[in-house]
């Protein structure tokens, strides 16, 4: 399927090119883990790093077309590098990069990749929000909170209510697993 797509992209046909979605689920490119490092929930690797690597991957795919050197007209010989300017300047190498980088289908796929990344980022943040709602549990000073609770001269019912609230947090946390 990959060679067929490349052939379709590089062909001179005027027909529109369609890229079918894979029929089976694909394995993820990245796995991101969340770790509680009080008072924050940290992601490993950080999402900014994932974004950098993904952007570099997409650029590398397009840049790889520079390796496909054009042939001289009417031959099967590669075009030699053409000097442009002085001896210190890099010679111009005729490749398929300019053609590939201008393909609207490729730009569409790059836009689709960016959109999917944003959707995935939204899902990751939604998962993190489930943990962030408990921020106060690990941000508060337990000793200070206990002293404040003791100043209220709590009744047995107040102790029970506090324990029930913590039990609910435990049940909610287990339900997130």
């Amino acid at each position: 399927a990959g060679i067929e797509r490349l052939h379709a992209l590089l062909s001179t046909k005027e027909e529109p090119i369609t890229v079918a979605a894979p029929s089976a689920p694909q394995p993820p490119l990245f796995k991101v883990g969340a770790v509680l490092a009080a008072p924050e929930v940290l992601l490993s690797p950080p999402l900014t790093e994932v974004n950098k690597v993904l952007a570099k991957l997409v650029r590398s795919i397009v840049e790889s077309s520079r390796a496909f050197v054009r042939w001289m007209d009417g031959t099967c010989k590669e075009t030699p590098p053409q000097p442009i300017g002085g001896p210190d300047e890099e010679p111009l190498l005729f490749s398929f990069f300019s053609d590939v980088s201008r393909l609207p289908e490729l730009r569409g796929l790059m836009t689709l990749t960016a959109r999917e990344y944003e959707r995935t980022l939204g899902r990751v943040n939604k998962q993190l929000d489930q943990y962030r709602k408990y921020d106060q549990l690990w941000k508060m000073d337990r000793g200070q909170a206990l002293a404040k609770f003791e100043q209220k001269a709590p009744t047995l019912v107040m102790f029970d209510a506090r324990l029930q609230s913590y039990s609910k947090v435990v049940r909610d946390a287990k339900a997130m697993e």
Side-chain angles (χ1 to χ4, degrees), residues 81-93:
Q82 302 296 311
I84 55 165
D88 296 337
E89 290 193 36
E90 191 78 24
L92 176 64
L93 187 63

Side-chain angles (χ1 to χ4, degrees), residues 149 152-162:
F149 184 66
K152 296 179 184 178
T155 64
L156 185 58
V157 172
M158 291 171 75
F159 269 113
D160 187 54
R162 182 65 60 101

